[in-house]
Amino acid sequence: MAVYALTGFSLVSLLSFGYLSWDWMKPSLVANVAMDPMEKSLPPAFARPPHIIFILTDDQGYHDVGYHGSDIQTPTLDRLAAEGVKLENYYIQPICTPSRSQLITGRYQIHTGLQHSIIRPRQPNCLPLDQVTLPQKLQEAGYSTHMVGKWHLGFYKKECLPTRRGFDTFLGSLTGNVDYYTYDNCDGPGVCGYDLHEGEDVAWDQSGKYSTFLYAQRVSKILASHSPKEPIFIYVAFQAVHTPLQSPKEYIYRYRSMGNVARRKYAAMVTCMDEAVKNITWALKKYGYYDNSVIVFSTDNGGQTFSGGSNWPLRGRKGTYWEGGVRGIGFVHSPLIKRKRRTSWALVHITDWYPTLVSLARGNLSNVPGLDGYNVWPAISEGKESPRTEILHNIDPLYNHAKYGSLEDGFGIWNTAVQASIRVGEWKLLTGDPGYSDWIPPQTLTNFPGSWWNLERLTDGLRKSVWLFNITADPYERYDLSDQRPDVVRTLLMRLVHYNRTAIPVRYPAENPRAHPDFNGGAWGPWASEDDVEEWEGIGEPLKSRNKKKKCKICKLRSFFRKLNTRLMSNRI
């Protein structure tokens, strides 16, 4: 099992590592930028709209940062967090696309139709085009906007691409995971293609460069070519530390005493990413941005435990609605923060960054009503109470229904077979199948208390579809209180009913063989024709009646490509 694969780490190995120190406060790294005479009368904080750097890592576990007691070295993240504000009541989504869509739109998945799974490479699907994105709002506020890294919000037509959704420039991948050096991605046997793009073109010339370094270098280049007098937003969505587990050898060597191979490679990738963040911070100082900057760091979901990640001591892993899947690493580092060097327990969700950052940029939120996020800057900067009191983790009507759930178990108001989760105040409710539910210890622990470890195994056989936890008192979700507090269960079920009434239909179309990279020059990229776009205009809703002759042509075209695709795959096999 995965848990046994994570054991076997010796604490002695931790002592053998040298702490990666770096002099990031060196005066020579800060460019001397002259201030306009008119600005000398303004207060130093927010004399201009701040530069915003949003760093998102992929599949980094809750335990996998130094200040959470990890065996992995992250000196940069530790120092940035220590000198800023650590967010220890911060929530994200359990998988890639949902977190990214909620960051970019400020809306829950149920309000964008992306409440089920991820956007897959061959699906004619993307972030709904009627959504005004975070970078678009920042462009309105006068910002230069740039994206570096993983998109994973759909690309079946050009209108879905990052450069059409608010980013002035883009360097990165469109799909969910690629090789860190070759940028190849296979979506099944024989369905492989290249996925690194510069703007709307395929970046063939960048192949062979390790993505973590490539992305950090691109950020430095952007900063070097931009004026610090003009506001800039850079969204850095590292591919790290998602599989495949690949890292330069010198980083793996530092963890050579780790017995578990997956953990060793994973640790190397985390430390490499930490060094990339160091280089980005250095560039902010060198080119004169730092004093008027806000750096936000966030993970996108819980760590994948069978791929080296650890969410200890939280329950669950990536892809689950247990805390190990949805509680993230998060912090804000900025000279503009009024109360620095502290830990915040204010409730914050990834949707909150949209209104928070637009407000910091002095942008206009009046024309984007119905956001699910809140402006949490006063809570972060001044230590005020968070305006957020609840979080809808999700409602997924398409996920496999729990075998023992029913409307009766939900007091006649909610079918508990449906996968859903919500946090209200200190209470958290889960219904349906929340996903893999074990606590997986870090490999530094060779002997683990059997009673706690066996707790879930003792309840595995029970016919359950409802769980209730007091997350404030029990952040590790050890004690299910659903039987003791049916009143709280009913109250939270009513909140689920409320949210479900506002949900739009799920957007999860069937895969289309026309997306095969072999039909697109060997690379993943936009592939839909005008007829396709018209037919899929109402994804998630009943298709409108169309001309039968046109439908017949589309069907024949699909049949042709399906047969061609089958022949290609059989030849490769």
Side-chain angles (χ1 to χ4, degrees):
M1 291 184 60
V3 63
Y4 299 121
L6 288 176
T7 61
F9 177 84
S10 171
L11 286 174
V12 176
S13 64
L14 200 57
L15 301 177
S16 67
F17 297 141
Y19 196 79
L20 298 179
S21 62
W22 51 283
D23 190 2
W24 72 312
M25 296 303 290
K26 217 171 173 183
S28 62
L29 300 184
V30 184
N32 294 317
V33 180
M35 181 177 284
D36 290 341
M38 292 182 63
E39 289 187 6
K40 291 181 180 179
S41 61
L42 296 173
F46 297 93
R48 292 191 182 110
H51 308 296
I52 301 169
I53 311 297
F54 196 102
I55 301 172
L56 187 72
T57 60
D58 200 341
D59 286 9
Q60 183 179 0
Y62 179 82
H63 182 68
D64 298 327
V65 66
Y67 66 84
H68 280 174
S70 178
D71 53 328
I72 300 175
Q73 301 169 19
T74 57
T76 307
L77 301 184
D78 296 345
R79 188 172 299 189
L80 290 173
E83 296 179 356
V85 176
K86 300 174 185 175
L87 305 177
E88 292 300 329
N89 202 9
Y90 174 56
Y91 286 87
I92 48 184
Q93 296 306 112
I95 48 179
C96 300
T97 297
S99 282
R100 294 160 204 275
S101 70
Q102 297 194 49
L103 165 66
I104 292 293
T105 67
R107 301 179 192 275
Y108 290 141
Q109 295 162 255
I110 63 166
H111 295 146
T112 60
L114 300 176
Q115 54 267 59
H116 179 67
S117 191
I118 60 173
I119 295 178
R120 303 192 179 280
R122 288 179 283 174
Q123 283 183 312
N125 196 10
C126 71
L127 188 73
L129 299 178
D130 60 351
Q131 294 292 323
V132 180
T133 67
L134 171 60
Q136 286 173 333
K137 294 304 297 180
L138 294 176
Q139 281 181 332
E140 289 179 9
Y143 275 68
S144 173
T145 60
H146 307 268
M147 181 180 172
V148 180
K150 173 178 168 177
W151 176 238
H152 207 184
L153 289 174
F155 58 87
Y156 79 103
K157 58 181 180 179
K158 287 189 175 181
E159 287 75 13
C160 301
L161 297 176
T163 47
R164 307 288 181 101
R165 304 312 305 271
F167 290 104
D168 296 326
T169 69
F170 169 67
L171 173 68
S173 60
L174 300 174
T175 61
N177 67 299
V178 300
D179 186 282
Y180 282 75
Y181 292 96
T182 67
Y183 300 98
D184 290 329
N185 176 27
C186 293
D187 186 41
V191 189
C192 302
Y194 185 82
D195 184 16
L196 184 65
H197 294 76
E198 174 89 54
E200 298 183 8
D201 298 321
V202 181
W204 298 104
D205 60 321
Q206 301 292 346
S207 179
K209 301 176 182 178
Y210 188 67
S211 73
T212 303
F213 291 155
L214 176 66
Y215 294 156
Q217 290 166 2
R218 174 51 59 95
V219 174
S220 296
K221 184 177 180 181
I222 291 170
L223 293 172
S225 61
H226 187 78
S227 169
K229 293 184 179 182
E230 300 298 329
I232 190 170
F233 169 60
I234 306 180
Y235 171 36
V236 189
F238 282 115
Q239 174 186 352
V241 289
H242 196 291
T243 53
L245 300 179
Q246 296 172 303
S247 173
K249 291 181 179 179
E250 59 268 29
Y251 291 91
I252 298 176
Y253 186 74
R254 301 180 191 185
Y255 296 98
R256 60 192 178 278
S257 58
M258 277 191 176
N260 183 278
V261 175
R263 181 69 174 172
R264 186 190 312 157
K265 292 180 179 179
Y266 175 92
M269 294 167 70
V270 173
T271 296
C272 186
M273 176 273 297
D274 181 87
E275 191 165 304
V277 175
K278 174 194 71 174
N279 293 336
I280 291 172
T281 309
W282 181 9
L284 287 170
K285 290 174 172 293
K286 179 180 180 181
Y287 298 115
Y289 296 86
Y290 177 77
D291 289 342
N292 189 38
S293 68
V294 175
I295 302 172
V296 181
F297 181 90
S298 171
T299 50
D300 71 334
N301 46 247
Q304 187 56 277
T305 51
F306 54 75
S307 297
S310 175
N311 304 303
W312 180 261
L314 303 179
R315 185 177 187 176
R317 65 188 184 196
K318 172 184 177 177
T320 76
Y321 288 95
W322 305 106
E323 292 292 284
V326 297
R327 183 172 289 203
I329 301 172
F331 65 78
V332 181
H333 178 97
S334 172
L336 307 178
I337 294 174
K338 293 182 179 179
R339 292 182 56 196
K340 305 179 184 68
R341 299 178 178 272
R342 65 184 181 87
T343 297
S344 171
W345 293 95
L347 188 62
V348 179
H349 183 248
I350 196 167
T351 54
D352 296 330
W353 296 121
Y354 186 113
T356 300
L357 299 181
V358 173
S359 297
L360 279 177
R362 305 173 186 173
N364 179 18
L365 290 169
S366 62
N367 59 350
V368 281
L371 291 177
D372 294 308
Y374 294 85
N375 180 3
V376 292
W377 184 252
I380 294 170
S381 177
E382 303 171 44
K384 294 184 177 181
E385 187 175 348
S386 173
R388 178 176 289 282
T389 59
E390 64 184 51
I391 296 171
L392 175 69
H393 292 302
N394 195 24
I395 300 171
D396 185 349
L398 298 190
Y399 194 81
N400 296 333
H401 282 200
K403 185 176 180 180
Y404 301 110
S406 67
L407 190 61
E408 182 181 357
D409 289 340
F411 299 98
I413 58 175
W414 182 262
N415 182 358
T416 63
V418 175
Q419 186 190 64
S421 182
I422 189 171
R423 165 88 180 263
V424 178
E426 60 188 9
W427 296 101
K428 177 181 177 182
L429 180 77
L430 304 99
T431 70
D433 179 4
Y436 185 84
S437 61
D438 268 341
W439 298 267
I440 300 179
Q443 57 183 175
T444 50
L445 299 180
T446 55
N447 295 312
F448 190 77
S451 58
W452 187 4
W453 174 246
N454 289 324
L455 181 61
E456 176 60 18
R457 282 175 166 62
L458 292 174
T459 60
D460 262 351
L462 297 181
R463 301 183 175 186
K464 286 189 65 62
S465 61
V466 178
W467 293 262
L468 177 71
F469 301 96
N470 184 319
I471 291 298
T472 303
D474 178 25
Y476 312 139
E477 297 171 299
R478 291 179 285 173
Y479 308 109
D480 176 18
L481 302 176
S482 58
D483 290 337
Q484 293 93 315
R485 296 300 305 269
D487 57 322
V488 177
V489 171
R490 185 182 182 90
T491 298
L492 269 61
L493 288 176
M494 287 298 297
R495 293 303 296 161
L496 286 178
V497 171
H498 163 75
Y499 279 112
N500 200 44
R501 287 172 179 157
T502 69
I504 68 172
V506 179
R507 301 167 58 93
Y508 198 74
E511 296 181 344
N512 192 294
R514 292 226 12 246
H516 197 302
D518 284 358
F519 305 146
N520 298 283
W524 293 102
W527 50 271
S529 68
E530 289 300 321
D531 285 342
D532 293 331
V533 171
E534 183 182 351
E535 184 186 7
W536 297 319
E537 215 168 46
I539 293 174
E541 302 173 359
L543 290 174
K544 298 175 183 178
S545 59
R546 309 209 184 269
N547 183 280
K548 290 185 179 180
K549 190 174 182 180
K550 179 181 287 187
K551 281 188 176 181
C552 183
K553 286 182 177 179
I554 293 172
C555 291
K556 288 180 179 178
L557 188 62
R558 284 179 175 169
S559 177
F560 167 76
F561 280 111
R562 189 176 295 113
K563 291 176 181 177
L564 182 59
N565 184 40
T566 302
R567 289 181 182 178
L568 286 170
M569 290 179 66
S570 62
N571 288 337
R572 290 194 178 195
I573 293 172

